Each structure stands twice: as structure tokens, then as C-alpha cells.
Amino acid sequence: MSSFTRRTFLAGAASVFHPITARKGLGYQPATAKATIQADVPVGQIRPELHGHFAEHLGSCIYGGLWVGKNSPIPNINGHRKQAVEYLRAVGIPVLRWPGGCFADDYHWRDGIGPLEKRPRRVNIWWGMYTEDNSFGTHEFIELCRLIEAEPYIAGNVGSGTPQELRDWMEYCNYPSGSTLSDERIANGAKEPFGVRYWGVGNENWGCGGTMTPEEYAGLYRRFSTYLARRQGSFGGIRPYLIACGPNRNDTDWTKRFLETLGPRGARLTHGYAMHFYSNGRSPATKFTVEHLKEQLSSFAELEKGIGQQHAMLRGFDPEGRIDLLIDEWGVWDQITQEDRERYGALWQQITMRSAVAAAMGLNVFHRQADKLGMGNLAQTVNVLHALLLTEGEHCIRTSTYYAFELMKAHRGRTSLRIESDTQDPLGLSMSASRSGSELVVTLVNPNHDRGMSVECQVTGAGLGRASARMLQHADFNACNTFENPDIIVPKNHPVEATARGIKAELPPLAIVTATVAIS
Ligand code: AHR
């Protein structure tokens, strides 16, 4: 079976509406959803990087969000907001992409090193024409990554930069000592090299990264990458993982033309190919309509289809599978209100129960397609788009999406398992399953706002033992954690039943349930 046709088994579990099974007092009509987990049929390893994140110099993501400055009255660690560091460290950020986004192709790394008072002030042309004082630069980014134990991913400037600028940044970061650039890093306070492995060669070069054709970008990619990855050796012995700009959503024309021009020689210097996939929303975050809710959540079926098609094209070009498909920006992008923009900065949106359901559906897609994906970075970590944390002054709260990631953290590093279902309904039960040793982890998501689901999940290929579950749920898709009430949506224990044949759970509307089951 080809990897693409397998998608038909995985899209969403059967969801059959049975009014007569409505239970007293529930206030909604449950439907029965059936699926089978094949515990002895591995799909692939769920790389921890599939739960990655992205932080850009945009709105209040960095300045005022992650970075408050060393002299701030807000508790901080060397300028990094202490509460944010603690929350992010707790949820685990396997990889963090920086400094953009669109910002990356107008960023010159030398602006962000050396004594603060000497760093130039530049205008951020992409996100509001405000002046950027460059107080958060490479050293601060690496320090943040170390504080939260994230692998750094630097997105380089192709749109307005040069191959020399990017290879110098790599030398500055990774060469231990003895060259002028590495000694400059040491003089700037970092004796140990930064060991940065992930390097993006541009961002959205079909758009803000230079408005290029795929042929133009492929030519530039070949030129830039020549100076970044050499067979003869690499800076500090760190073999760089070079990431090429892929399509917007499932743009097959971009991929076809890019790969044709890249050719086999360019392919040898390519390790990741990054697609961006946003789930746009036609309402402001807390004022979603039912129609817009359904429309946005249905986009995850398109994401899954896009992964299948892009991966098939990549494998057609690179049958040995040396180039990974990545999703290095994804998440919900709602209508941003003027009031929110003025109060909190560009691309600030509230994060609701709908956003959490979307995050969990996205992660379920990544798990199911684990054999095809190398990374997935939610956009963006703090105060921008699909954020894990929101800040206002000294306040820093965990959003519903933070808790969705927390609930699904147990899948990281495990083996994704095959799931069978006989429906294609994009709003049917969304699920993923993984195993490691004697434990099975299953995440079930009910994306419906108006009906519960009685989930009957048969498990083949393993015997089941004790089970427990946690749930994140709120019946109102516009509900959210606020600075005044930060605990409106938090996970709690939820009953789950494991029998000899499988798992049974009741999912209220808009519920994310992760069950952990002992297996033999
Ligand atoms: O995440 C916000 C923006 O979305 C990024 O800067 C850009 O890459 C994408 O269009």
C-alpha cells in the first residue's frame, strides 16, 4: 500500500450519530465512534521535534514576551522572563526556530551581538515598522534555548543577505576557537560554541523572503548551501541540517519546480524541506461562529492530505529518503482585532478551546504521519498567533494550547501505531496512538461542539492492562484562559475503560483525552 493511500484509513474514526444512545443529564447527544489501533503495526518514530515551536521578532513574542530585559522589575533570568522559562521548560520545547519568519530575511545577525549600547536600531519592516534595538540577538537566543532545553533552529537570511553572511554566522556559532569569528564569540562571553545544527536557508522565499520563483530560489539555495555544508568537514564538527523553503500549504507547483531545479547536486546539501500550513479562521478568536469553527477544524484533513502529496513528490525525487519533510510553521491564524493589535502587538490573538482542539488535531496528524515528517513548529510560542503562553505586564498565563501540548507530550519519541477507520469525515473522531515498551498512549479528540462521542477503540496485537486518562475540555469553543481567570481550561482526570478487546471512553463535546494503557 502506498503511503498516500494509507491516509484513507487514518483520516478520522467512524462517527455514527445515535440519538437513542443519548444519556440522561449529559446535555448533548453522543455518537458512537469506532476505530482499531494495530499495536503491532508501527508507522514510525514520533520524533520529539514534531512538537517543536517558533519564536519571531514579531509583536510581543520576543520583546515583552519571552524577553523582558535584565533591568526589568518582572522576574527574569538574565533578561528572560522567569515564568515563561519555567512553563516552557515544564512542557518541553524540543526545538525552537528563530528569528523569523518574514523577519529572518531582513535580519543581519551582526546587529544582535556585542555590547548592547553598540547594537544598531533597525526598523522591523514586516511587523509594524517599529524600531528594533537588537537587545535580543544570537547569544540571548542560545541562552534561552539552554534555559528551556530546546534545540536551536536558526533561520538564515537569503532574501536580503549573502552566502558569506550566513556561513559567517555558522562559523561564529559553531567553530570552537582560533578563527577571528569564533574568537569574537568568545570575547562576547560565550567560550563554548553554540553547536547549532538546524539552519534554515531562507523563509517563505515565494513571498516575504524575496518574492522568488521556485527556479530563482532553487538557484540561490544551491549557492548558499555550498558554503554551509561541505563533505570535507564542518564548523566545529557539527554537521549542519540545512532546511530549504518549501511550499505554502500544498502548493505542488512550487515543489515540482523547486526540486527540478535543485537537481541531485543540490539535493546532497538539503536535509529538510519545510512546508508552511496555517489554518485560517474567518472570525476573531473569541467570537467564532459554528460555521467558521467547522471550516477551520476541517483544515486538518487538508493538512494530512498535503503531507501525503508533498511527501510523495519528495520521495519521487529522493527515493532514498535523505530529505525530510518538515512543517516549520503551522497553527490557527484567526482574524486579529484592532483592539488586540493595539494593546498586545501584531498578530496577537486569544487562545480558546477551539485553538486547543486544533492543536491536538494537528499533533494527531503529525503522529499518524510520523514516517513522513521530521519536524513541526507551532507558530508562535508567546503572544503571537497560536501561542502556548500569553503575557501582559508581569502576568504570564498558560493557554489551552499549552495544556493540549502537555497532554500529548507522552507521545514524543514513541513509535506511532497504525489506526484503521472507515470514514473520511474531517470532523469525525481525531486520534493517534503510540507505544513504547509496555505502555500504549492514545489521544482522542472530539472536534464537535454539539455532540459527545462514545469511543470504542479496538486494540489488536497487544493485551491491555490498567488504564488512566486526562482530559482537556470546555463546552464553549470560545472559552479561554484569561489574565483574570487563568485556570478556566485545565486538564483533569477522566475515566477510561480498558477491556480485553480495547478501550472505551466518553468524550464530551470539544474534548481532548489522552489515555495511558499498560500493554503486554
Ligand atoms: O508566523 C507569522 C508569519 O507567517 C511568518 O513571519 C511568516 O513566515 C508567515 O507568513
Side-chain angles (χ1 to χ4, degrees), residues 325-360:
L325 180 64
L326 320 178
I327 317 284
D328 74 2
E329 286 186 31
W330 72 281
V332 294
W333 188 322
D334 306 327
Q335 295 300 307
I336 312 288
T337 68
Q338 192 182 342
E339 193 188 334
D340 285 343
R341 185 171 38 244
E342 283 169 5
R343 184 162 178 182
Y344 299 110
L347 302 194
W348 190 96
Q349 61 188 25
Q350 241 308 351
I351 302 300
T352 65
M353 190 62 221
R354 165 192 50 83
S355 326
V357 167

Side-chain angles (χ1 to χ4, degrees), residues 18-158:
H18 291 309
I20 49 165
T21 63
R23 293 191 181 104
K24 276 189 190 158
L26 286 180
Y28 55 79
Q29 305 281 15
T32 300
K34 293 187 178 181
T36 302
I37 298 170
Q38 297 183 333
D40 53 354
V41 184
V43 171
Q45 198 218 3
I46 298 174
R47 298 193 210 176
E49 290 83 357
L50 296 189
H51 289 220
H53 292 271
F54 167 40
E56 180 169 10
H57 289 231
L58 192 180
S60 52
C61 180
I62 300 288
Y63 298 110
L66 288 162
W67 178 254
V68 294
K70 293 179 185 170
N71 301 323
S72 171
I74 297 171
N76 67 83
I77 307 167
N78 274 341
H80 304 279
R81 184 188 286 268
K82 189 163 180 284
Q83 186 68 86
V85 165
E86 286 168 4
Y87 285 153
L88 295 178
R89 200 182 154 110
V91 76
I93 304 291
V95 59
L96 186 63
R97 178 172 182 255
W98 171 87
C102 294
F103 182 78
D105 282 280
D106 192 39
Y107 181 65
H108 300 281
W109 67 273
R110 295 202 68 91
D111 292 350
I113 58 164
L116 272 185
E117 60 284 2
K118 291 203 172 144
R119 296 190 191 178
R121 296 170 74 80
R122 305 276 186 216
V123 177
N124 185 327
I125 61 164
W126 288 107
W127 304 114
M129 304 300 282
Y130 68 87
T131 49
E132 149 80 51
D133 70 4
N134 280 301
S135 51
F136 191 95
T138 305
H139 289 250
E140 290 76 19
F141 170 62
I142 296 296
E143 186 174 45
L144 173 65
C145 287
R146 288 179 178 164
L147 286 169
I148 61 175
E149 296 175 358
E151 181 88 22
Y153 167 3
I154 289 181
N157 180 345
V158 169

Side-chain angles (χ1 to χ4, degrees), residues 268-520:
R268 273 189 239 128
L269 301 174
T270 311
H271 310 99
Y273 181 63
M275 166 182 178
H276 286 182
F277 194 103
Y278 283 100
S279 298
N280 299 109
R282 285 198 288 145
S283 300
T286 55
K287 295 194 172 64
F288 257 65
T289 63
V290 168
E291 183 197 351
H292 294 169
L293 165 83
K294 289 184 175 178
E295 192 177 271
Q296 188 177 62
L297 296 183
S298 296
S299 70
F300 291 97
E302 292 166 46
L303 168 64
E304 193 156 18
K305 183 176 169 199
I307 290 170
Q309 290 190 335
Q310 293 290 332
H311 184 265
M313 291 179 81
L314 206 50
R315 283 299 157 269
F317 168 77
D318 162 42
E320 287 168 23
R322 282 183 306 205
I323 305 175
D324 297 324
L325 180 64
L326 320 178
I327 317 284
D328 74 2
E329 286 186 31
W330 72 281
V332 294
W333 188 322
D334 306 327
Q335 295 300 307
I336 312 288
T337 68
Q338 192 182 342
E339 193 188 334
D340 285 343
R341 185 171 38 244
E342 283 169 5
R343 184 162 178 182
Y344 299 110
L347 302 194
W348 190 96
Q349 61 188 25
Q350 241 308 351
I351 302 300
T352 65
M353 190 62 221
R354 165 192 50 83
S355 326
V357 167
M361 291 176 82
L363 291 180
N364 273 344
V365 168
F366 294 172
H367 298 169
R368 291 195 296 261
Q369 303 299 334
D371 55 334
K372 304 187 188 70
L373 292 174
M375 189 187 286
N377 301 324
L378 190 74
Q380 299 191 7
T381 320
V382 180
N383 290 336
V384 167
L385 298 177
H386 203 160
L388 296 184
L389 304 178
L390 296 178
T391 70
E392 184 175 52
E394 77 273 25
H395 302 291
C396 176
I397 61 165
R398 288 166 286 190
T399 66
S400 57
T401 293
Y402 177 99
Y403 290 115
F405 269 75
E406 185 186 86
L407 219 57
M408 297 178 76
K409 186 176 172 180
H411 289 283
R412 295 180 196 169
R414 293 182 186 238
T415 303
S416 173
L417 301 174
R418 180 164 158 154
I419 295 166
E420 281 198 19
S421 159
D422 56 5
T423 181
Q424 291 286 309
D425 180 0
L427 296 176
L429 173 69
S430 154
M431 66 182 291
S432 65
S434 63
R435 73 180 288 175
S436 162
S438 54
E439 205 170 64
L440 173 69
V441 177
V442 182
T443 295
L444 308 164
V445 181
N446 177 5
N448 295 283
H449 71 288
D450 55 354
R451 58 190 161 117
M453 282 182 177
S454 297
V455 179
E456 293 174 14
C457 194
Q458 195 190 349
V459 180
T460 59
L464 301 188
R466 286 168 63 92
S468 62
R470 304 264 294 159
M471 177 173 78
L472 191 71
Q473 192 268 344
H474 200 291
D476 177 2
F477 50 82
N478 285 320
C480 54
N481 293 340
T482 63
F483 296 110
E484 298 74 33
N485 289 305
D487 297 325
I488 289 174
I489 306 172
V490 291
K492 29 185 172 320
N493 291 337
H494 188 68
V496 61
E497 192 188 332
T499 66
R501 295 203 59 218
I503 304 162
K504 285 187 181 176
E506 293 296 327
L507 268 58
L510 301 168
I512 306 164
V513 170
T514 292
T516 307
V517 190
I519 50 172
S520 53

